[in-house]
């Protein structure tokens, strides 16, 4: 479960960068398209639910 949590943390961090894009943190780069922002936010929610389900099933 520790591997899953760490992997989840890294993926969530990247998805949150897309969701809360900051042009000052990424000078010269194009911002993500609106549909990509929506998909990233949706993926974060789905990952949160999947991790919660896994923790419930393992009794954590």
């Amino acid at each position: 479960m520790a591997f899953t949590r760490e992997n989840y943390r890294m993926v969530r961090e990247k998805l949150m960068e897309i969701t809360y894009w900051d042009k000052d943190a990424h000078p010269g780069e194009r911002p993500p398209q609106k549909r990509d922002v929506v998909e990233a936010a949706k993926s974060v929610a789905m990952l949160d639910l999947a991790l919660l389900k896994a923790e419930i099933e393992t009794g954590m």
Side-chain angles (χ1 to χ4, degrees):
M1 199 65 195
F3 172 77
T4 302
R5 279 193 187 125
E6 180 60 20
N7 193 30
Y8 164 80
R9 185 194 63 77
M10 292 185 310
V11 170
R12 189 174 199 282
E13 188 176 300
K14 289 294 183 184
L15 288 170
M16 294 305 280
E17 275 185 35
I18 295 169
T19 303
Y20 297 109
W21 183 261
D22 180 16
K23 66 180 178 180
D24 296 331
H26 302 277
E29 293 182 33
R30 280 194 227 165
Q33 295 182 356
K34 298 289 185 193
R35 71 171 178 255
D36 294 333
V37 172
V38 170
E39 286 297 319
K42 187 169 80 173
S43 294
V44 168
M46 290 171 59
L47 282 169
D48 285 344
L49 291 173
L51 185 61
L52 177 63
K53 181 180 177 189
E55 288 177 344
I56 289 170
E57 288 177 357
T58 60
M60 297 184 94

